[in-house]
Amino acid sequence: QVQLVESGGGLVQTGGSLRLSCVPSGRAFSTVAWFRQAPGDDREFVAAITWSGGSTYYADSVKGRFTISRDTAKSVVHLQMNSLKTEDTAVYSCAAKLGLFLTPKSADYNYWGQGTQVTVSS
């Protein structure tokens, strides 16, 4: 059974940090990404990473503040979020696909986790 399990969300003040984790299981994936969705907004791409080579791709809105990484030994993908802003408040979801192409399009990802809430207070 394919599963993507996220953890690490929570409440943090502006300027603070959080680290999200995503553990994919059930099959091997080539690319893992993070998306987020705030109430009333469309789902937004955050960052993606290839499992084998570790190539990364970021949305402009998080570049320089967020870092996506993977630990192949532990089969986990992390999203380190620093200098958080109130506009980063959203449900963050992990997504995965089989191809190596780094894409920000949610329709390109076949598997999704349930999501974890991140709330940044001023």
Side-chain angles (χ1 to χ4, degrees), residues 11-26:
L11 174 64
V12 65
Q13 290 188 326
T14 302
S17 298
L18 281 175
R19 189 177 79 160
L20 306 183
S21 297
C22 171
V23 179
S25 63

Side-chain angles (χ1 to χ4, degrees), residues 3-8 18-25 29-35 46-52 54-58 67-81 93-97 102 109 116:
Q3 278 189 311
L4 299 172
V5 180
E6 304 101 334
S7 62
L18 281 175
R19 189 177 79 160
L20 306 183
S21 297
C22 171
V23 179
S25 63
F29 295 104
S30 296
T31 303
V32 178
W34 286 95
F35 287 80
V46 176
I49 188 167
T50 58
W51 192 261
S52 57
S55 297
T56 58
Y57 178 38
Y58 294 93
T67 302
I68 189 170
S69 62
R70 88 272 188 255
D71 184 333
T72 55
K74 297 181 179 179
S75 296
V76 59
V77 172
H78 297 296
L79 183 69
Q80 178 67 43
M81 305 186 295
S93 298
C94 177
K97 65 181 185 70
L102 290 168
Y109 293 84
T116 184

Side-chain angles (χ1 to χ4, degrees), residues 8-10 12 18 20 81 84 88-92 116-120:
V12 65
L18 281 175
L20 306 183
M81 305 186 295
L84 283 162
D88 294 318
T89 295
V91 173
Y92 284 70
T116 184
Q117 177 71 45
V118 171
T119 303
V120 185

